[in-house]
Amino acid sequence: MTDRKPLYLMTPALVWLTAFMVVPCLLVLALAFFRRGIYGGIEYTFTMENIALVFDPLYAGIFLKSAWIAGLSATIAVVIGYAAAYAIAAAPSRRQATLLFFAVLPFWSNYLVRTYAWIVMLNREGLIAGVAVWLGYDGDLPKMLYTETAVVIGLVYNYLPFVILACYAPLSRLNPEIAEASRDLGGGGWTTFRRVILPMTVPGIATGFVFVFVLSIGNFVTPALLGGGQFQMIGNLVYAQFLTANDWPFGAALSMFLIAIMMGLLTLQTFATERASGARRED
C-alpha cells in the first residue's frame, strides 16, 4: 500500500496530462495525414503530402528563420538573466526575496499589455525617440519598430524572468566554500567562475535557454505586433493555416514538427542536467 501511495497521488495529474496534452497531440498527429477538403475542412484520405510540404524550401526557410530568432532571443536572455541571477544570489540573503520580486514583477501584467508597451517605446514618436531628441539628437533615427530587432527585444523582455528564476536556483544552492577553496588554490576570479561556478550551474542555464527557445519559436503574438507582419515565424504560419487558410491538415503537420523540435530540445536539456549532476557526484 505504501509503495503504491505515490502512484495514487500522481493519478489526477496523469489523467489531466493524458486528457489535455497527450490526446490532443495524437489528434493533431492524425490530422497531419489527411487531406484538406475542397471547401476547407478535412477529407479523411491518407496522404503524406502535408509532411512532404513541410520540407518545401519556402516553409523550411520559415522554420530556420524562426529557429534563428528564437535562438538569438534565448542566448541574449541567458546572458542577461544569468548576470541578474548571479547578482541576486550574491546579494545579502535578506534582500534576495525583494530582488526576486522585482525580477518577476513584469509577470503580474498581461502579456499583450507588455508587448503593446514596447510599441509605445519603439515607434518614431515613442519614448526612446523622445529621449534622443531631448538629449539633442536631431538626425533621422533608425527604424526600430516592425523590425526583427524589435521582435527579439520583445521576446527577451517577456521571457527574461524565466531565465532569472532558472539560473537563480542552482546559484543560490552553491556552497561558497567551494569558490573559496578554488581561490585558496590560486584560481583567480575569472578562473573560479569559468571552471567551478559555471559548470555547476549548467542545469539552470540549459533550463532557461530551453524555456525561452521553446516559447519563442512558437510565439505568434510578438512577431505580429512588433514585427508588423514584415516576416513570418512558424507560430504565425500555424495560426494562419488553422484560422485563415482553413487548411487544418497542413497546420497539423507544421505543429507536429514544432512539437518534435521542442521534444528534442527537452531531451538535450535532460541530458545536460544529468551529465552536470553526474559530474558533481564524481567530484
Side-chain angles (χ1 to χ4, degrees):
M1 182 68 180
T2 305
D3 295 339
R4 293 181 178 179
K5 188 175 180 180
L7 183 60
Y8 292 145
L9 295 175
M10 290 174 60
T11 299
L14 292 175
V15 171
W16 177 276
L17 288 175
T18 302
F20 297 106
M21 192 182 79
V22 177
V23 173
C25 284
L26 291 176
L27 290 175
V28 171
L29 177 62
L31 279 180
F33 295 97
F34 294 123
R35 295 179 185 275
R36 176 180 183 269
I38 297 176
Y39 302 105
I42 303 164
E43 181 180 316
Y44 293 99
T45 304
F46 181 81
T47 179
M48 294 292 289
E49 290 178 358
N50 298 313
I51 304 299
L53 191 57
V54 173
F55 294 98
D56 183 274
L58 173 63
Y59 301 115
I62 295 175
F63 263 107
L64 292 176
K65 184 72 173 179
S66 303
W68 160 252
I69 292 176
L72 181 61
S73 302
T75 302
I76 295 172
V78 164
V79 172
I80 299 174
Y82 189 90
Y86 190 93
I88 294 173
S93 56
R94 67 179 184 281
R95 296 180 181 172
Q96 291 184 14
T98 304
L99 294 173
L100 277 176
F101 168 78
F102 284 111
V104 301
L105 190 60
F107 277 168
W108 289 27
S109 60
N110 183 274
Y111 184 94
L112 283 175
V113 173
R114 299 200 302 269
T115 305
Y116 274 115
W118 277 105
I119 295 179
V120 176
M121 296 273 287
L122 297 175
N123 72 62
R124 291 191 180 277
E125 305 297 329
L127 181 62
I128 294 177
V131 171
V133 172
W134 181 73
L135 292 174
Y137 183 80
D138 57 356
D140 291 332
L141 289 170
K143 182 180 180 182
M144 293 177 285
L145 189 60
Y146 304 142
T147 62
E148 182 179 311
T149 302
V151 175
V152 172
I153 290 173
L155 293 172
V156 170
Y157 172 75
N158 280 310
Y159 298 137
L160 186 61
F162 283 121
V163 183
I164 295 175
L165 293 176
C167 293
Y168 172 77
L171 282 167
S172 63
R173 290 197 300 266
L174 279 180
N175 187 345
E177 293 179 353
I178 296 176
E180 291 177 9
S182 173
R183 287 190 284 270
D184 291 342
L185 293 172
W190 171 244
T191 302
T192 299
F193 173 76
R194 182 171 57 86
R195 302 192 64 175
V196 178
I197 297 175
L198 190 61
M200 297 183 74
T201 54
V202 164
I205 296 172
T207 301
F209 184 91
V210 171
F211 258 135
V212 179
F213 188 93
V214 167
L215 294 173
S216 297
I217 197 171
N219 192 299
F220 63 92
V221 174
T222 301
L225 294 180
L226 298 183
Q230 302 295 320
F231 56 90
Q232 274 196 324
M233 288 182 65
I234 190 63
N236 305 95
L237 187 58
V238 172
Y239 175 87
Q241 295 304 316
F242 275 101
L243 298 180
T244 305
N246 205 19
D247 190 351
W248 288 28
F250 183 48
L254 291 169
S255 301
M256 291 314 303
F257 270 83
L258 192 57
I259 292 173
I261 292 172
M262 295 176 181
M263 295 301 292
L265 282 171
L266 291 173
T267 303
L268 289 175
Q269 178 210 341
T270 304
F271 176 75
T273 302
E274 290 182 350
R275 186 170 182 179
S277 300
R280 282 202 299 269
R281 285 193 294 270
E282 290 176 2
D283 292 339

